[in-house]
Amino acid sequence: LANSESLYDFWEAVIRNKEAEQWLISVSSTGGLHFRQLTSCNGVRQYTAVYVEWNEKNEPYIDDTEQRDILDWDLTEAGHFYFQILPTDRHYDDYTMIRLEPVKKKLYDLNTQYVIPIGYQSNNLFTSNWDSSDFGELCLNDLFEFLYRVKYHDYYNENGGSIPADVFEHVIKPYFDISWDEFRERCLYDEANQCYPWQEIGADNVTYYPALEPDVIEKHDNNDGTFTLVVDVRCNENKEDRLFTHEVTIRPLEDGSYQYVSNQITYKGE
């Protein structure tokens, strides 16, 4: 957030029970202008929003407005401002988080390249302990749709409960140092039909749980040509800056590709 000093002043007024007002202005990916106002007066906390978009003549128009009570808000030591409004939509986090302090560009780029594309929904690459000598409970099949997007910058659009072996192997195996025998056994290779089992995870076959967002906070270069990223995982719905921490080790390859070498959970919160 640019000009974040004003929000610190706003929060100082709030905790002193003084009348306070804060504007939050942002630009959407489509060029829309989003205006949000937070107010605190005589114990009443309110959220007001106006969303401006552009018509076919490039003229601005008000697309939507809303005004709601604020149920909760807080400013954490990490410089994250959380606020919760009513009513909430279960498709989204209960809390909105605004980052007041800038991230380090190099760490943000590493996060964008290696962690965010896989994430924590519908797979356990970063939520289980494993390494190349013992893959533990890591489910490689669940990584197919994510690694497919990484590799081809597109979604896998075929339906059905299986993936042709040549497609599946070409997408997943290059990202791991694993033998063919172990790969095929672990991924339940169907030799008769030359395929692997897979099912896309969607709203009809997964239990709801909060969205998790990674923050890469450190990078350590190792003496074997790999590097390790230390990742704090935030959960906005729980107003948690650090729900858990994991360390993922990555091996860059000469052709510009890379392999995931290991992952370890080093801290667990609630």
Side-chain angles (χ1 to χ4, degrees):
L1 179 69
N3 304 314
S4 60
E5 297 83 2
S6 65
L7 207 150
Y8 284 106
D9 294 338
F10 166 80
W11 187 245
E12 180 68 20
V14 168
I15 61 179
R16 292 179 179 274
N17 294 318
K18 294 183 177 181
E19 185 174 333
E21 177 182 298
Q22 176 67 42
W23 291 4
L24 302 169
I25 302 173
S26 59
V27 179
S28 72
S29 59
T30 60
L33 184 67
H34 293 180
F35 169 85
R36 294 175 290 179
Q37 180 187 54
L38 310 176
T39 59
S40 178
C41 183
N42 297 324
V44 178
R45 302 175 296 190
Q46 282 199 317
Y47 168 88
T48 304
V50 178
Y51 303 96
V52 176
E53 294 292 345
W54 303 88
N55 62 22
E56 296 178 353
K57 297 181 180 180
N58 284 329
E59 298 170 336
Y61 69 95
I62 296 178
D63 184 55
D64 194 15
T65 63
E66 58 180 335
Q67 186 173 50
R68 303 183 187 182
D69 291 336
I70 295 175
L71 296 180
D72 186 29
W73 52 16
D74 196 9
L75 177 60
T76 68
E77 292 183 4
H80 297 158
F81 180 74
Y82 294 89
F83 67 91
Q84 180 191 39
I85 60 177
L86 181 74
T88 56
D89 185 333
R90 295 304 294 166
H91 288 88
Y92 302 95
D93 291 335
D94 277 353
Y95 285 88
T96 296
M97 191 279 283
I98 299 172
R99 185 193 299 273
L100 303 188
E101 302 299 328
V103 298
K104 294 181 179 179
K105 178 70 164 54
K106 290 183 179 180
L107 296 180
Y108 180 84
D109 290 343
L110 290 167
N111 194 12
T112 301
Q113 182 172 0
Y114 298 109
V115 184
I116 291 176
I118 307 299
Y120 306 92
Q121 178 97 23
S122 309
N123 77 87
N124 68 344
L125 181 66
F126 302 134
T127 57
S128 61
N129 294 328
W130 61 271
D131 60 45
S132 295
S133 64
D134 181 3
F135 286 92
E137 297 181 355
L138 176 62
C139 180
L140 296 175
N141 299 63
D142 286 344
L143 291 168
F144 177 79
E145 60 187 294
F146 304 100
L147 292 175
Y148 187 93
R149 287 203 298 268
V150 170
K151 194 175 189 68
Y152 297 111
H153 307 287
D154 198 3
Y155 290 89
Y156 186 77
N157 294 316
E158 300 296 327
N159 296 320
S162 63
I163 304 291
D166 58 340
V167 176
F168 186 92
E169 293 169 353
H170 189 64
V171 167
I172 295 180
K173 190 177 183 303
Y175 288 95
F176 298 91
D177 182 11
I178 184 173
S179 69
W180 276 109
D181 289 343
E182 183 176 3
F183 180 83
R184 287 176 170 171
E185 180 180 358
R186 175 170 287 273
C187 297
L188 305 177
Y189 175 54
D190 182 348
E191 186 174 4
N193 295 300
Q194 298 285 296
C195 66
Y196 292 85
W198 175 78
Q199 184 179 33
E200 184 177 13
I201 302 298
D204 58 344
N205 62 0
V206 67
T207 299
Y208 170 83
Y209 66 93
L212 305 178
E213 300 184 25
D215 274 333
V216 174
I217 61 171
E218 295 178 20
K219 178 198 176 190
H220 303 299
D221 292 317
N222 306 315
N223 57 14
D224 60 355
T226 67
F227 62 86
T228 299
L229 301 179
V230 181
V231 188
D232 280 350
V233 182
R234 189 177 67 252
C235 180
N236 290 351
E237 178 168 303
N238 292 350
K239 205 168 54 173
E240 285 274 1
D241 287 342
R242 188 190 182 202
L243 188 65
F244 68 95
T245 299
H246 66 97
E247 298 185 7
V248 54
T249 298
I250 296 160
R251 177 184 295 114
L253 302 177
E254 293 183 357
D255 62 359
S257 62
Y258 56 90
Q259 292 179 329
Y260 292 103
V261 177
S262 69
N263 185 75
Q264 295 293 317
I265 309 295
T266 57
Y267 167 80
K268 292 182 180 181
E270 295 183 10

